[in-house]
Amino acid sequence: RSKSAGRNCFTIYDEAMSAELEARNTLEGDLRDAIAQCQLEVHYQPFVDALSGARRGFEALVRWRHPTRGLIPPDQFILLAEETGLIVPLGEFVLRRACADAAGWPSDLAVAVNLSPIQFKEAELFEMIGAALADSGLPPHRLEIEITESVLLERGSENHAFMERLKHLGIELALDDFGTGYSSLSYLTAFPFDKIKIDKSFIRNLTHQPRNSAIISAIVTLARGLDMSVTAEGVETREEYERLKALGVNFAQGYLFGRPQPIERILFDAPVKRSRRDAA
Ligand code: C2E
Ligand code: MG
Ligand code: MG
Ligand code: MG
């Protein structure tokens, strides 16, 4: 009896495995089609100067408008895209779209684009970024590239040289999700970042958690010493914002200032030039 139950369990497990594999293959095929058929969209979330509250730019965040499943958030397909290499064309699409859109915004607004560690392994990445800037006409100083510290763990010296080349072009570099990974303070001094983005997990419950305030305050002090600025991510409440201002954070981003939205939904003070693709 126990034997057959065991066998049954095994069968069920097996079926669940192949169902999962099948779902994954379907998703991979779908994602391949999505890139080819322009089902990917770039949404924009504002970030503001913490002291004045003035908008300084937007972070580009990819979404997948799936024909049957609706709008899929990046957490559900970025990992798959990285594992299959599809992150390379996906990342190029996002960067080109973001540069083209931002080129039409008022010139005091920057655009921040996330790059995956996998993209860093591409020999053509530097040329691709240069081409995205040239084709869109966006000045390099209005582009920020966000990377997570996992990029620094592997191929540290090659990536360091690459980052120096980007900085030389005038592009700003931000260290994303700071505090979540294997953060080593030595990365901060070893790599040429302009900005540290404190992960939203430190902002949550900020007003009830004195320990998080202590961490943020330490990061702000450290960043000042290294001539870097600090962004707080995931700011949702007025109380969090006030606390972060008092702690000396330079920039703030989060639902309090705006959710990620399609470009059509964003209001600009000055008229916006339409990008080449829209005009075509
Ligand atoms: P991220 O780069 O850290 O982006 C910030 C994430 O926090 C976004 O999630 C944003 O919607 C969310 N967020 C912003 N404000 C708040 C808030 O006040 N509260 C809460 N709870 N969340 C907030 P999203 O858009 O789902 O993106 C998730 C992650 O996917 C991003 O984290 C980034 O790592 C990755 N990602 C998004 N677009 C791209 C892309 O084009 N390329 C690559 N390589 N990764 C991307
Ligand atoms: Mg980011
Ligand atoms: Mg982040
Ligand atoms: Mg992230």
Side-chain angles (χ1 to χ4, degrees), residues 59-61 112-115 145-148 174-177 197 233 253:
E59 178 171 2
L61 295 157
V113 178
N114 297 283
L115 281 199
I145 285 183
E146 298 192 0
I147 60 179
T148 54
L175 180 55
D176 205 355
D177 302 344
K197 297 189 79 175
E233 294 191 302
Q253 181 177 347

Side-chain angles (χ1 to χ4, degrees), residues 37-239:
Q37 296 166 9
C38 302
Q39 289 168 14
L40 297 179
E41 293 180 10
V42 180
H43 288 199
Y44 296 95
Q45 183 181 36
F47 57 89
V48 304
D49 179 285
L51 268 191
S52 68
R55 207 160 56 178
R56 286 287 179 260
F58 293 86
E59 178 171 2
L61 295 157
V62 70
R63 269 97 183 92
W64 176 4
R65 196 164 296 276
H66 192 281
T68 57
R69 293 172 53 190
L71 201 65
I72 307 181
D75 287 342
Q76 289 179 33
F77 61 90
I78 289 290
L79 189 65
L80 179 71
E82 289 180 333
E83 287 169 358
T84 54
L86 288 170
I87 193 70
V88 172
L90 183 155
E92 175 166 3
F93 165 78
V94 174
L95 183 75
R96 285 184 170 276
R97 185 79 258 165
C99 288
D101 284 335
W105 301 346
S107 61
D108 57 339
L109 295 175
V111 68
V113 178
N114 297 283
L115 281 199
S116 157
I118 308 295
Q119 288 177 272
F120 270 73
K121 296 184 180 141
E122 282 293 296
E124 305 294 301
L125 181 60
F126 188 80
E127 286 67 26
M128 192 276 279
I129 295 170
L133 287 169
D135 291 351
S136 63
L138 185 74
H141 72 267
R142 289 178 57 202
L143 175 63
E144 287 179 16
I145 285 183
E146 298 192 0
I147 60 179
T148 54
E149 62 198 7
S150 59
V151 169
L152 316 175
L153 291 171
E154 282 178 69
R155 301 162 25 98
S157 66
E158 277 155 284
N159 289 340
H160 184 277
F162 182 79
M163 288 167 68
E164 289 290 355
R165 289 174 76 194
L166 293 180
K167 273 201 71 102
H168 196 73
L169 271 188
I171 293 170
E172 302 239 320
L173 299 176
L175 180 55
D176 205 355
D177 302 344
F178 185 71
T180 53
Y182 304 90
S183 290
S184 157
L185 295 180
S186 63
Y187 292 145
L188 286 179
T189 50
F191 290 88
F193 289 106
D194 301 288
K195 204 184 239 188
I196 300 168
K197 297 189 79 175
I198 304 177
D199 190 70
K200 50 181 173 288
S201 56
F202 294 99
I203 313 305
R204 227 32 359 93
N205 299 318
L206 180 62
T207 33
H208 311 290
Q209 296 240 330
R211 282 167 180 273
N212 281 355
S213 286
I215 290 171
I216 291 166
S217 165
I219 297 173
V220 167
T221 305
L222 187 68
R224 269 197 202 132
L226 297 170
D227 204 21
M228 296 175 189
S229 61
V230 174
T231 301
E233 294 191 302
V235 183
E236 292 184 359
T237 68
R238 194 82 219 169
E239 291 71 34

Side-chain angles (χ1 to χ4, degrees), residues 15-34:
E15 276 169 8
M17 285 255 295
S18 63
E20 195 179 295
L21 201 71
E22 208 174 288
R24 201 192 132 91
N25 285 339
T26 310
L27 195 66
E28 181 183 340
D30 282 4
L31 184 56
R32 215 173 279 281
D33 295 343

